[in-house]
Amino acid sequence: MRKPRLPPLGALRAFHAVAGCRSFKLAAEALGVSATAVSHQIKLLESVLECRVCERSAQGVSLTETGEILYAGTQRAFAALEQSVAQITRARQPPALTVTTTSNFLTHWLVPRLADFKAEFPAIDLRLHTSVERVDLSQRTVDVAIRYRETPESDLHCTLLHEDRFIVVASPALALAHIEDLQRVTLFHVAHRQVPADSPTWENWRRRYGPEELNVEAGLTFSDETHALQAAVAGQGWCSPAGCWRAICCSAACWPRRSRWRYPAPTTIWWPPRRPRSAPISLRCASGCCGKWRQANGSRGQFRPGGSPR
């Protein structure tokens, strides 16, 4: 059977714009041509098809039954063309890796290690995003998420990156020596901590360590853990940051109380979705770099239920 003659691509493009806008004027603006040029393309299209595809009236443009059939086809065709062009464009760009994590973890833990990553993988375009919200990695808007988790996700590839603890810190200027000393200093609270285990609040602290008379409702509330830590360094009270900020505490002459005056933090993991062996080179490089960081922190192996490394 002889194949039907296809209309010129320019005519189909003009029709697709008119059908989408339901206006010759708006279609012309979208295409960057005159309304007269669009009208000529529509006439050419109708001459090839030997039928009307749209009707013009004072109310605007409406499609005929034939026009509706053709518009359904141009929608599929141009969507496929746009997808192919986007795929070609992405293939010509340098490999990219999008990582999301919390602002504090990015600032105090990840950023100091980025120089090593860029030195080893200079061709990878690294994009960093900060958020405390859960991210749907199936949408492919993000390649890797770093979050506090205690157990692995069944539909994700989860790798232990860092095992942490929350500690209590205060300035040496406060001369604190005993747990009862908490009652005479200001307690710093950090709001909106996205952690799955017992939140590192003073209420949980009092339940674990005391003293029973501690007023856990009093004190100052911060929206950012870094600000609470800076206030503690300045000698204005106590705070309970994650242990990975310990180096910052020590460098700022802050006094970390260790031994029994601490409690476990949810484990921080490298959290990419499961992918086949044909995963992008940027993700494979990131996975390898993650393994080096994990070994440097003394954490080895895959994540087991319960949050402990093998």
Side-chain angles (χ1 to χ4, degrees):
M1 183 177 178
R2 186 176 179 181
K3 291 184 179 181
R5 176 192 171 193
L6 290 177
L9 181 59
L12 291 172
R13 186 164 173 254
F15 166 78
H16 183 72
V18 170
C21 300
R22 300 301 166 107
S23 165
F24 277 65
K25 180 181 179 181
L26 295 179
E29 292 177 356
L31 296 174
V33 298
S34 66
T36 301
V38 171
S39 179
H40 288 162
Q41 291 295 325
I42 297 299
K43 290 180 180 179
L44 173 60
L45 175 64
E46 290 177 336
S47 68
V48 173
L49 296 177
E50 298 181 348
C51 62
R52 303 275 296 177
V53 294
C54 61
E55 300 288 351
R56 302 176 71 173
S57 66
Q59 288 72 36
V61 177
S62 61
L63 299 182
T64 64
E65 184 178 352
T66 302
E68 294 287 0
I69 296 173
L70 182 61
Y71 184 45
T74 58
Q75 284 180 304
R76 293 191 297 270
F78 282 108
L81 284 172
E82 289 175 0
Q83 184 177 3
S84 297
V85 171
Q87 184 177 353
I88 293 171
T89 302
R90 286 194 300 269
R92 297 180 60 187
Q93 293 177 343
L97 179 70
T98 303
V99 179
T100 176
T101 186
T102 64
S103 177
N104 285 329
F105 193 87
L106 173 66
T107 301
H108 302 300
W109 198 96
L110 189 57
V111 166
R113 292 162 172 80
L114 291 182
D116 294 337
F117 182 87
K118 292 300 293 183
E120 188 166 355
F121 309 108
I124 293 180
D125 181 13
L126 192 60
R127 302 165 185 175
L128 303 175
H129 170 266
T130 59
S131 173
V132 297
E133 303 299 330
R134 185 183 178 92
V135 179
D136 184 1
L137 296 179
S138 65
Q139 299 299 315
R140 296 294 190 262
T141 56
V142 173
D143 298 306
V144 172
I146 302 176
R147 293 290 190 273
Y148 283 123
R149 303 295 294 169
E150 291 186 298
T151 57
E153 300 283 338
S154 59
D155 58 341
L156 301 171
H157 176 67
C158 303
T159 305
L160 179 66
L161 177 61
H162 179 68
E163 205 163 26
D164 207 352
R165 286 180 177 271
F166 284 101
I167 60 175
V168 171
V169 298
S171 170
L174 295 179
L176 305 174
H178 305 286
I179 196 70
E180 291 75 16
D181 293 338
L182 277 172
Q183 299 180 77
R184 64 178 177 83
V185 297
T186 303
L187 303 182
F188 294 156
H189 308 267
V190 179
H192 311 302
R193 274 176 165 162
Q194 300 292 323
V195 293
D198 285 345
S199 179
T201 61
W202 291 113
E203 182 178 357
N204 285 331
W205 176 271
R206 181 179 61 183
R207 186 171 63 250
R208 284 171 178 256
Y209 305 119
E212 294 183 2
E213 300 80 11
L214 182 65
N215 183 3
V216 297
E217 302 299 328
L220 298 177
T221 300
F222 295 82
S223 61
D224 189 287
E225 190 175 48
T226 302
H227 298 155
L229 183 55
Q230 290 172 340
V233 170
Q236 299 175 18
W238 286 67
C239 72
S240 57
C244 58
W245 315 148
R246 185 178 294 114
I248 302 167
C249 300
C250 295
S251 65
C254 211
W255 178 56
R257 296 294 302 186
R258 295 185 178 85
S259 67
R260 70 183 186 89
W261 290 24
R262 63 183 182 179
Y263 53 114
T267 304
T268 304
I269 64 172
W270 189 265
W271 191 23
R274 295 194 184 280
R275 297 199 184 208
R277 291 184 179 180
S278 59
I281 182 64
S282 58
L283 192 56
R284 297 201 299 272
C285 292
S287 180
C289 199
C290 166
K292 295 180 181 179
W293 289 340
R294 189 174 64 247
Q295 291 177 9
N297 281 279
S299 301
R300 303 176 186 275
Q302 289 295 311
F303 210 29
R304 292 188 300 177
S308 300
R310 289 180 179 173

